[in-house]
Amino acid sequence: MASSLKDKPPSRLQIWKVASRPHTLTASIAPVIAGYALTLHYYKTTDSVDGTILGQMALQFALFAGLIQIGTNLHNDYADFVKGADTDKRVGQARATQKGWLTPYETCRAERCNPTHDPIMVFIVASSIFNAVAYTGGPFPLGYIHASLGSISIGYSGLGDLFVFLYFGVVATMGVPYLYLTKIECFDITSAILDKSKMSDSNLLQLQSLQKIFIHSISIGFLATGIIVVNNLRDRHTDIYAGKRTMAVRFGERFARAEYFLLVTISFGICFYFAFEENRYSALLPLLSFPMAIPQLKAVALGGKDGQELNDHVGGTAKLQMCA
């Protein structure tokens, strides 16, 4: 099948679908949905005007998060090829640049055309640029930023797991509630934290709720990190030759499988914390998706599969994150 695809490239539309990898969008959109739901729960936005604005805010944030994800995927498609991580020995899903379906210039040009390069979204753009370029360390596009970073590459230095946790866990989940508090409630969170004596009782409750949402973001971030753990476990043999020192390369197969087990089980374990802490047993509802985790744990954590056989479990972990 792989050889036939190489001989006969798919349609242009299918090629761009392969390069942008829309199936990975759950990693960026699921946390935004969770953040929106948690904002409704903790801040009880019953006002129709505030609720409408919050919905629009969440939709816009999800759109930008999705575009950031696609832009990152395009750059990753390019950079892993030019840095030698994607070769004909690749066991993962097809990469458009590595297959020769797109030139490196075409892939990079598409990333540069990503609509997130909008000056209004300064923070999001800055973080997406750092995500796309620093993660793989590719010299183009945005080579001037790469030059200032020197040889820094998050993905190639083994920090990818931490970065995915922070970016697709904490930031993506906390974005909507943070915007709600600062833009709709006009709550100056920074000043309140620096000087709690000036904080009103209502602001204190709002801050405490934000701290609870942060704990939820840990759960979501762990599942997002699980996706990259499976990916790096699968690619560890070819990553060694490309100098891509992921956690799986640095610490070995057993570590990666144990890491995956802890990420998934702790993520579900946090449900029990909220059930007892808040006396709210609806917090256990995510456990209904645990049967989806069992085949992933068997294949990844317990060593049931390796190499190309793990391809299905990259997507399986992404689906688990979406449902949990």
Side-chain angles (χ1 to χ4, degrees), residues 138-255:
F140 182 81
L142 305 173
Y144 57 90
I145 292 181
H146 175 270
S148 67
L149 289 173
S151 60
I152 292 175
S153 172
I154 294 174
Y156 280 69
S157 62
L159 297 174
D161 298 35
L162 176 63
F163 190 78
V164 167
F165 167 72
L166 293 174
Y167 194 86
F168 294 109
V170 177
V171 174
T173 307
M174 300 285 289
V176 173
Y178 177 83
L179 289 172
Y180 171 78
L181 288 179
T182 56
K183 302 302 180 183
I184 298 180
E185 293 291 331
C186 298
F187 179 22
D188 188 347
I189 296 177
T190 305
S191 299
I193 293 175
L194 294 175
D195 189 358
K196 291 186 178 181
S197 62
K198 296 181 179 180
M199 197 184 308
S200 65
D201 290 341
S202 61
N203 284 157
L204 181 60
L205 289 174
Q206 289 175 329
L207 190 60
Q208 289 173 345
S209 295
L210 194 64
Q211 291 171 342
K212 292 179 181 179
I213 294 175
F214 171 74
I215 298 175
H216 279 288
S217 75
I218 293 175
S219 174
I220 297 165
F222 276 3
L223 290 179
T225 308
I227 300 172
I228 195 175
V229 170
V230 183
N231 184 83
N232 291 341
L233 177 67
R234 179 198 64 197
D235 294 341
R236 68 188 186 281
H237 297 300
T238 54
D239 285 345
I240 292 175
Y241 295 105
K244 190 174 184 179
R245 297 181 58 77
T246 62
M247 297 285 277
V249 171
R250 285 180 178 272
F251 302 110
E253 175 186 353
R254 288 186 177 181
F255 176 90

Side-chain angles (χ1 to χ4, degrees), residues 60-61 64 115-128:
Q60 291 171 358
F61 196 78
F64 274 96
T116 52
H117 292 271
D118 185 330
I120 297 176
M121 303 296 293
V122 176
F123 172 75
I124 294 179
V125 172
S127 58
S128 69

